[in-house]
Amino acid sequence: MTIAYTSAPATIAVSPAPSPTTLPERFRQALARELDQQPGDPTSDQCLRAAASACRELLAQRWARTQREDARAEPLGPARRVHYLSMEFLMGRALGNALAALGLEPQLREQLAASGLEFGDVLEQENDAALGNGGLGRLAACFLDSFAQLGLPSFGYGLRYQYGMFAQRIQDGKQVETPDDWMRLGNPWEIARPEVCYTVGLGGRVEAEGGTRRWVPAERVLAQAFDFVVPAHHGERVSTLRQWHASAERPIDFAAFCAGDYARAAQHRVQADALNWVLYPDDSTDNGRALRLKQEAFLVSASMQDIVARHLRERPSLDDLGRRNAIHLNDTHPALAPVELLRLLLDEHGLSWEHAWRITHQAVSYTNHTLMPEALETWPLALMQALLPRHLEIIYEVNHRFLAEVRRQRPGDEALAARVSLIDETGERRVRMAALAIVASHKVNGVSALHSELMVQTIFADYARLFPQRFHNVTNGVTPRRWLMQANPGLSRLLDARIGTGWRRDLAGLAALRALAGDAALQAEFLAVKRQNKERLAARIHRDLGLVLDPASLFDVQTKRIHEYKRQLLNVLHVVARYQAMLDNPQADWVPRTVVIAGKAASSYQQAKLIIELAHGVARVVNHDPRVAGRLKLVFMPNYGVSLAELIMPAADLSEQISTAGTEASGTGNMKFALNGALTIGTWDGANIEMAQAMGEHNMFVFGLRAREAQQVRELGYDPRLYVEENRQLQRVIGAIEAGDFSLGDRERYKPLVQGLLGRDNYLLMADFASYVAAQSQVDALFAQPSAWAERALLNVAAMGEFSSDHTIAQYVDRVWSAAAVA
């Protein structure tokens, strides 16, 4: 796939790229220079840092060349420069990706072999960059990769978290959170930009000066830029993740220091530094909520100042800022961006409201990632007034003008005005951040066909009636560079041998595999690759957890953040049901199965943490019962992240995508698993639907209520107890958990889970249980036929071309980010 702007216009004097013959030599020189500074024989960690430094030097040159090209680009070319704002970017390790993009892996392997070191051992020394948590952050990272691959002028904007969200440890079967101190030895990949620094205000008051408003912040924080360079794999272009690091504007309070009050002397510095500490701080306290809002304001203020400053360096006027720059909000966390941009244009640059609004509306677009009203951010007016008084004034003005237009279109419909107002007047008055993002944006999208359809029918129905042309769909995608080429080199080589290498540039080339899926020799080769990947995962599990797994068993995998709607609990219930059935009929020809679960629960989410504890309780019983030895195992892999996903996904036979229909916006794990040859068991939800349509529904194990059916069940008065009473198998499962069979006789431990299932069962586990178990029986039957299983798996891989993030970004460019989109 190519886009017209991947090459610089003819009028640009592009610096010559280093030739392929010189690049390896320059890498060797840089690597040798770094290693020469280390005494004695190099260690794996020293080699990692030396290789990172050598790669960074080469990537910095590509970055400078890319910035020169973008700055000199023809005015209003086919694509605006994209600025992608996200609270998280789940980047993973960088060395393998950089070496692959630069084509330098053979050189490093050669250098390491000469020192008696293993390439894989060096890669393992790198910590995952703890800049994200789940699908939202991983999607943003995939997009940066595609920005570079497609040559899109772009910046990602995020925060430089020192401790991530948290590192997950398991103690006595319970999740324990500890700081993820991933930068304790520094980050060899980031490039400090001391010249890029902005002041961000918080608190204070707003004063009137003549006809203008002037904000006088009570606190000022410095935002320092650190860049992470993301390279293209088939070109010289790069994208940039610009991370902001907060520090206090003022030094210590010297008088307090001299008085011996060291805490007070540095209090403001600690408060500034806290902005960098943790992604998504626990917001169950007033201080936690304030910190979250401060983080969001800090991100958008530094980013908007940077965008405006760059534009004015390149252009004489702000008039065309919106026509030359796209500002995209990845969910509601950065929804203050249009307000901060308005503040800069109005207060700092003296534009009229109409002029500033036109620029802002042209620039801003918004992606929604949830259908759950409770997940849409709102902020109390009192907190907003205390921290961002000028921004609240601007929000009031936006709302006043918006509601005037609503009343003009729908006179007399005050109920509509109340529903769409940016201010929720019911109970504690709050600012609705999703509403703000919709009103300020020229385009709003969902991330799968079903999600986008439900979005305009439910949570945003009123806005869709007011702005019918504003809403559209762009289905998510994943980068094949990390999730197939790097994560699964065995399968990648097999694909090269059978269908050529064109799929590496354009994933649609995988379609050529469809005609070969019935080839017995290819099936055998595919299964051999899968077996190697399963053995690799089994070895890791044995090393870390001491469990011995059978690589011949069906690897049944569910990896995602732990949440009730994602229904890891349904998975565990099936494990219990299967265990009980095996005890009832031990002589049956059971298909051996290894169930792998991985994911983090939010630190304050007690039900999710209890699901993790139940999974460990069930595993403790099942894994040590000699009556099912070798035929059923349950494994929870702690501290799930990108690097662990790269190990797990190529090894999976079955991908669990079992959210309640109508709750999962899209999912991208489903795409990664299928790309690596796993079959999917899933509900008719999110991107599962489009995947099933692409590969043929018969190639997916679909079960459960569909979204409309689920809604009808709720409307008719859903009673989960009725489903339990009618299903003897389900009664036994719930009874065993309730009786303490998996909690050492403690009948109280899992009582909240049981009460939740029998009382409200918000996510319809009881309603879908029988269908899920039936689908799992179909899985067993097919897995017992290796050739038929391999054929289905190959058809899954063949259908994944349209789920490349390159394809997704091309759609964003066409519909949202092109100059034509705001012409």
Side-chain angles (χ1 to χ4, degrees):
M1 179 183 297
T2 57
I3 294 179
Y5 48 78
T6 52
S7 299
T11 55
I12 297 177
V14 182
S15 301
S19 70
T21 57
T22 63
L23 197 61
E25 183 55 35
R26 292 170 64 194
F27 176 71
R28 287 193 190 92
Q29 292 172 358
L31 187 64
R33 186 166 59 247
E34 290 292 327
L35 290 176
D36 284 347
Q37 299 177 32
Q38 308 292 339
D41 294 331
T43 65
S44 293
D45 182 66
Q46 289 170 340
C47 286
L48 165 69
R49 302 182 73 79
S53 179
C55 288
R56 188 181 63 181
E57 182 179 318
L58 301 175
L59 292 176
Q61 295 166 2
R62 290 190 177 187
W63 183 88
R65 190 160 52 249
T66 296
Q67 300 313 308
R68 287 195 297 270
E69 292 173 10
D70 292 349
R72 299 171 186 171
E74 292 292 337
L76 302 182
R80 297 181 289 168
R81 182 185 273 129
V82 174
H83 306 86
Y84 195 82
L85 274 66
S86 180
M87 285 304 290
E88 52 173 303
F89 289 85
L90 194 55
M91 302 302 294
R93 291 170 175 159
L95 179 58
N97 187 61
L99 292 169
L102 294 166
L104 295 174
E105 183 179 320
Q107 282 68 39
L108 182 58
R109 286 184 179 275
E110 177 185 324
Q111 183 82 23
L112 294 175
S115 301
L117 297 172
E118 291 291 333
F119 178 73
D121 292 341
V122 171
L123 295 186
E124 281 289 316
Q125 297 302 309
E126 183 176 3
N127 293 321
D128 275 30
L131 301 172
N133 171 42
L136 188 77
R138 188 51 233 172
L139 179 75
C142 284
F143 281 8
L144 289 178
D145 182 271
S146 288
F147 290 168
Q149 184 66 21
L150 298 179
L152 183 66
S154 57
F155 275 83
Y157 283 110
L159 296 186
R160 184 176 178 261
Y161 303 107
Q162 292 178 278
Y163 305 114
M165 190 169 83
F166 58 80
Q168 182 192 56
R169 302 286 181 264
I170 303 297
Q171 294 180 4
D172 298 324
K174 300 178 182 180
Q175 172 179 291
V176 176
E177 304 88 21
T178 60
D180 188 350
D181 196 8
W182 70 285
M183 286 198 294
R184 63 187 176 277
L185 299 178
N187 178 8
W189 293 102
E190 66 184 15
I191 301 172
R193 305 288 185 198
E195 74 283 3
V196 182
C197 187
Y198 302 100
T199 301
V200 175
L202 294 167
R205 64 188 186 279
V206 181
E207 297 179 345
E209 287 188 354
T212 64
R213 305 286 289 169
R214 186 173 72 90
W215 181 25
V216 184
E219 177 185 357
R220 287 182 172 85
V221 179
L222 299 180
Q224 169 71 55
F226 288 81
D227 287 350
F228 182 101
V229 179
V230 181
H233 280 235
H234 299 98
E236 299 289 331
R237 297 277 300 183
V238 302
S239 186
T240 307
L241 170 57
R242 177 153 289 177
Q243 305 158 81
W244 299 111
H245 184 90
S247 60
E249 184 185 49
R250 296 177 290 115
I252 60 171
D253 183 330
F254 203 69
F257 179 83
C258 292
D261 192 347
Y262 304 133
R264 184 165 64 87
Q267 180 180 5
H268 62 291
R269 301 186 69 82
V270 173
Q271 290 174 343
D273 197 41
L275 294 171
N276 310 306
W277 286 349
V278 175
L279 166 67
Y280 302 142
D282 186 339
D283 60 357
S284 61
T285 66
D286 289 342
N287 285 340
R289 286 187 287 274
L291 181 56
R292 278 208 186 193
L293 182 56
K294 285 181 178 181
Q295 285 182 325
E296 293 178 6
F298 178 73
L299 167 65
V300 302
S301 179
S303 303
M304 292 306 101
Q305 291 183 68
D306 195 45
I307 292 167
V308 170
R310 185 183 301 107
H311 179 82
L312 289 176
R313 285 197 303 271
E314 298 173 359
R315 305 290 298 163
S317 166
L318 289 168
D319 288 348
D320 61 350
L321 185 147
R323 297 194 304 275
R324 291 183 60 84
N325 296 276
I327 298 170
H328 198 86
L329 314 179
N330 189 30
D331 219 358
T332 56
H333 308 118
L336 282 169
V339 182
E340 172 66 3
L341 181 58
L342 282 168
R343 186 191 70 81
L344 292 171
L345 298 177
L346 294 167
D347 298 357
E348 305 296 330
H349 296 278
L351 273 61
S352 68
W353 179 272
E354 290 73 15
H355 193 182
W357 179 254
R358 176 179 58 78
I359 291 170
T360 300
H361 189 61
Q362 285 176 334
V364 175
S365 51
Y366 161 54
T367 294
N368 170 268
H369 287 277
T370 183
L371 291 169
M372 299 182 185
E374 66 271 18
L376 299 177
E377 274 195 321
T378 63
W379 291 111
L381 260 62
L383 180 60
M384 187 79 74
Q385 178 67 51
L387 293 179
L388 301 165
R390 178 59 177 141
H391 297 75
L392 185 57
E393 285 188 348
I394 294 172
I395 289 170
Y396 284 149
E397 182 65 20
V398 172
N399 197 40
H400 170 73
R401 291 170 180 256
F402 167 56
L403 291 182
E405 178 60 22
V406 170
R407 291 183 173 108
R408 188 190 66 78
Q409 289 187 33
R410 306 288 176 89
D413 194 345
E414 287 303 306
L416 172 64
R419 291 196 305 270
V420 300
S421 172
L422 305 190
I423 310 299
D424 183 356
E425 303 284 355
T426 61
E428 182 186 27
R429 301 178 71 210
R430 304 175 75 91
V431 180
R432 295 165 166 156
M433 303 309 287
L436 174 60
I438 291 168
V439 171
S441 297
H442 69 278
K443 286 290 184 182
V444 176
N445 71 279
V447 289
S448 73
L450 177 64
H451 170 234
S452 296
E453 177 185 340
L454 294 176
M455 184 174 71
V456 300
Q457 292 174 355
T458 58
I459 54 173
F460 298 150
D462 289 322
Y463 302 101
R465 284 190 285 270
L466 291 169
F467 310 120
Q469 303 305 314
R470 192 167 298 185
F471 291 84
H472 67 118
N473 175 64
V474 182
T475 298
N476 285 342
V478 301
T479 169
R481 268 113 12 220
R482 182 175 292 271
W483 294 111
L484 180 52
M485 300 175 205
Q486 292 169 230
N488 202 338
L491 180 56
S492 298
R493 288 191 293 270
L494 178 58
L495 293 172
D496 289 345
R498 287 301 190 127
I499 61 173
T501 60
W503 66 272
R504 290 178 178 264
R505 287 179 176 268
D506 183 352
L507 201 62
L510 291 179
L513 197 62
R514 187 174 293 115
L516 305 176
D519 184 306
L522 175 58
Q523 292 168 2
E525 291 175 286
F526 170 81
L527 291 174
V529 169
K530 180 65 72 173
R531 177 61 181 253
Q532 291 171 358
N533 291 331
K534 292 167 74 173
E535 289 173 351
R536 186 172 56 139
L537 177 59
R540 174 66 168 271
I541 290 172
H542 183 256
R543 186 196 78 179
D544 292 352
L545 302 176
L547 285 171
V548 177
L549 304 183
D550 177 9
S553 66
L554 186 154
F555 277 26
D556 174 356
V557 181
Q558 187 176 20
T559 58
K560 46 186 80 237
R561 66 187 172 93
I562 309 298
H563 195 290
E564 288 170 277
Y565 87 85
K566 293 180 182 288
R567 302 204 297 190
Q568 287 91 352
L569 181 54
L570 181 60
N571 190 351
V572 175
L573 296 181
H574 171 252
V575 173
V576 175
R578 189 179 186 89
Y579 171 65
Q580 291 174 334
M582 293 174 76
L583 295 184
D584 290 343
N585 191 6
Q587 302 307 317
D589 188 19
W590 292 98
V591 171
R593 186 180 292 229
T594 299
V595 178
V596 178
I597 300 175
K600 297 178 180 180
S603 59
S604 61
Y605 193 173
Q606 296 306 316
Q607 284 291 93
K609 294 171 81 168
L610 199 55
I611 291 169
I612 293 175
E613 189 174 354
L614 175 61
H616 282 87
V618 172
R620 187 185 306 113
V621 172
V622 171
N623 295 349
H624 295 91
D625 191 331
R627 295 171 293 177
V628 297
R631 294 183 294 173
L632 181 62
K633 291 250 175 108
L634 173 58
V635 181
F636 187 95
M637 298 193 72
N639 208 34
Y640 181 64
V642 175
S643 296
L644 195 54
E646 291 179 52
L647 181 67
I648 293 173
M649 288 176 173
D653 293 306
L654 186 67
S655 163
E656 297 270 352
Q657 307 299 327
I658 59 176
S659 55
T660 311
T663 60
E664 185 70 79
S666 170
T668 53
N670 46 8
M671 303 170 189
K672 296 163 194 166
F673 279 113
L675 187 61
N676 281 278
L679 300 190
T680 299
I681 183 168
T683 48
W684 203 246
D685 196 26
N688 290 354
I689 300 171
E690 289 151 89
M691 288 171 54
Q693 292 167 342
M695 68 182 63
E697 188 177 339
H698 60 283
N699 290 314
M700 183 181 288
F701 301 100
V702 180
F703 76 93
L705 297 170
R706 305 214 171 181
R708 190 175 300 278
E709 294 169 335
Q711 183 59 32
Q712 290 171 346
V713 166
R714 293 185 178 104
E715 290 172 352
L716 291 172
Y718 174 58
D719 184 353
R721 290 179 183 272
L722 295 179
Y723 290 87
V724 178
E725 291 171 2
E726 295 173 356
N727 187 320
R728 173 63 179 158
Q729 185 181 37
L730 184 52
Q731 287 178 33
R732 290 185 65 197
V733 170
I734 298 296
I737 296 171
E738 198 170 25
D741 289 6
F742 306 104
S743 51
L744 302 176
D746 182 354
R747 298 173 64 94
E748 297 297 314
R749 184 177 302 176
Y750 303 125
K751 194 171 183 178
L753 293 179
V754 172
Q755 289 178 334
L757 291 174
L758 299 181
R760 58 188 186 280
D761 190 20
N762 290 334
Y763 299 106
L764 307 179
L765 280 74
M766 302 296 91
D768 277 351
F769 177 82
S771 178
Y772 180 53
V773 172
Q776 292 286 12
S777 295
Q778 296 172 20
V779 170
D780 286 339
L782 186 65
F783 193 74
Q785 307 170 61
S787 177
W789 183 278
E791 182 175 8
R792 292 263 193 105
L794 288 165
L795 290 171
N796 271 249
V797 177
M800 293 309 295
E802 67 184 81
F803 301 99
S804 165
S805 53
D806 297 349
H807 177 71
T808 303
I809 294 305
Q811 290 183 310
Y812 273 112
V813 170
D814 180 55
R815 302 174 191 173
V816 186
W817 299 336
S818 67
V822 292

